[in-house]
Structure formats: structure tokens, C-alpha cells
Amino acid sequence: MLTKNHALAFLMALAVLSLGACSADRVPAEAAAKNELGEFWDGEIQQWGAMREVLAKGKTEGRVRLRDFAGSKGVYAIGALAGLNGEVTILDGEVWVSRVRESRADCRLLEANDTQATLLVMARVSRWTEHPITEDVSAENMEAFIKGVAEEAGLDVSRPFPFLVEGPFAKLDAHIANGMCPMRADPNSDQAPIRFHLDAVRGTLVGLHALGQEGVLTHHGSKTHVHVVIGGDQPQMGHVESIELMAGSVLKLPAQD
């Protein structure tokens, strides 16, 4: 038979074991939260919506809320707003949104909490490797150039991978969607996209290289999906149609284990 002292000791032992069990469960969870990104890219791409579904079939409903990514370091994404009413680019947790307002481009950081994207492709990258671009790269050769550097860096180019390019660009053509697929919209209609051309401009490309993903992750006839962010007092952001890279810019690829 247990005495009162034995019973008390037994209950105290159970309490200590319970506290230890709770602590053991809690510490890994906290550690996981602090190291959510890890040191290396995990090779994963997250996607909401698909090119063909959104642009060709007109399924442009909101699929993901953008405020959920605002301020999230290591988040990079490109896509289109719900209703195809503009473009979105996420650059290391900064959510840039471009719309057409009164026939003019309006680019700014995310303001409305309810803003959604109908198309979004995202990667979480904590660290990038840098690859200086020592010669000019024409628009026609850009995709092959990125693929070649990625192969040399050890990336599996048969799988989609994100990339950045920082620096000067010789020529840039980009657009901002305005309620309809920019390639299908009548240029004289109210849904005509805004297109802009810039020479000798400095900015950042946020892109995705994806072989065999036409109509899903990239436009038909393309192996990449690229957006540009240009800072300054009058920032600009849009979907890149054509770009020429200049010597002195830097290609960044996700670091891998």
C-alpha cells in the first residue's frame, strides 16, 4: 500500500515527466519556425493557377491572398492579379503590384489587405550564388545563357528553378495586364495592356526557368517566365516580353546543398 509520502512523490514524478515531454515537443517546433527556410533551397516551387487556365480559359478568380507573403524574407514570386487586373512580383518579401489606372501604369508596394492573385509561382530561397555576367546577352540568347550557367552551377535544369538578375539592362520591353490576356486583347480596347520600353535601365529580374512547362508555368514558345522591378521615385514593374542583359549585371541562382 502506498503511503501519503509515496503517493506525493509519485505525482511529482509524473508532473516532471509531463513537463519534460511538453518541452521536448515545443523546442523542435520553435527551432523549425526559426529555420523555416533552411540554408539551402529545397528545390520546391509552389504554384496557384496555370498559364493556360488563366490566360486562355479565362479562369481568373482570386486563388491566393498576397498579404500572407508580405514581409516574409526569402519569398520570391511572380504572377498576375485576380481578374488579370495587373501584375504582381514578390522580391524577398516585398510585394509589388502594378495596375493600369486611367490608361497609365501604377506601380506600388501592396496596400490593400484583400488583394489576391489568380496566378502565382513562388519559391522560398534563403541564399543565392552569384554569377557575374561578363558579356552582353541578347534577348534571343537569354534563356540558353541562364540554362548554361545553371548547369555549370550544378542545378538540375530539367526541373523548374528560380533566378534573379541584378544590374544594367540594355533594352527592356514589358507589359502590365489590364483585365484580359495581353496577347489577346485588342490594342484599342479598354482592356489593352500597358506596354513600356526602356533603354539602359538598372533593375532586378525575378524569373523562373522551366523546361517543358509551356502553358503551365511559362507562355507558349518560352522556357522562362520573368518579371522586372525598377526602383526609384517612380518605380516600375511588369511582365518581361524581351530583355537584353549587359555586361556588369549579375545572375543569381539558388544555393543548393
Side-chain angles (χ1 to χ4, degrees):
M1 179 179 296
L2 290 174
T3 65
K4 289 184 178 180
N5 288 339
H6 287 147
L8 181 59
F10 179 70
L11 291 174
M12 290 179 65
L14 283 178
V16 171
L17 288 173
S18 297
L19 287 172
C22 291
S23 298
D25 289 339
R26 184 170 59 250
V27 171
E30 291 174 350
K34 290 178 181 177
N35 299 290
E36 181 181 357
L37 288 176
E39 186 178 358
F40 302 104
W41 179 51
D42 60 7
E44 295 299 317
I45 296 289
Q46 292 179 266
Q47 178 183 5
W48 294 264
M51 285 283 194
R52 185 184 301 109
E53 178 182 35
V54 172
L55 299 178
K57 297 183 178 180
K59 296 181 179 180
T60 64
E61 66 272 16
R63 292 183 170 87
V64 58
R65 190 173 56 185
L66 295 176
R67 73 175 183 187
D68 292 342
F69 306 114
S72 298
K73 300 294 289 183
V75 170
Y76 299 82
I78 50 179
L81 298 178
L84 286 180
N85 289 315
E87 310 287 340
V88 57
T89 302
I90 304 178
L91 180 58
D92 200 17
E94 285 190 345
V95 183
W96 289 94
V97 172
S98 284
R99 294 184 174 90
V100 178
R101 297 185 189 275
E102 298 180 352
S103 300
R104 304 177 72 175
D106 180 80
C107 173
R108 62 185 66 193
L109 289 170
L110 181 69
E111 293 179 340
N113 286 336
D114 59 347
T115 303
Q116 295 190 46
T118 185
L119 174 68
L120 195 70
V121 183
M122 183 187 76
R124 297 178 182 271
V125 182
S126 60
R127 188 163 65 86
W128 301 85
T129 60
E130 296 190 357
H131 307 269
I133 298 174
T134 58
E135 297 180 354
D136 294 353
V137 180
S138 68
E140 293 77 14
N141 293 330
M142 192 196 74
E143 292 184 343
F145 172 79
I146 291 171
K147 178 175 178 286
V149 176
E151 284 179 319
E152 291 181 3
L155 282 172
D156 180 1
V157 298
S158 69
R159 300 181 59 192
F161 63 87
F163 65 88
L164 305 176
V165 180
E166 296 178 348
F169 310 128
K171 295 181 180 180
L172 166 68
D173 290 293
H175 70 242
I176 300 169
N178 187 27
M180 186 176 180
C181 172
M183 308 305 175
R184 297 170 181 264
D186 182 338
N188 298 313
S189 74
D190 292 338
Q191 293 182 311
I194 288 289
R195 286 188 161 89
F196 56 93
H197 172 85
L198 298 171
D199 292 320
V201 64
R202 180 174 292 272
T204 299
L205 302 184
V206 181
L208 180 77
H209 185 283
L211 294 177
Q213 294 292 320
E214 296 180 24
V216 181
L217 293 173
T218 68
H219 286 291
H220 286 286
S222 178
K223 300 178 182 65
T224 57
H225 180 182
V226 185
H227 282 198
V228 64
V229 177
I230 301 167
D233 294 335
Q234 295 182 321
Q236 293 177 281
M237 183 275 286
H239 176 101
V240 174
E241 295 182 351
S242 175
I243 190 162
E244 295 183 11
L245 309 180
M246 290 180 66
S249 54
V250 177
L251 169 63
K252 293 188 174 183
L253 299 171
Q256 292 192 118
D257 188 0

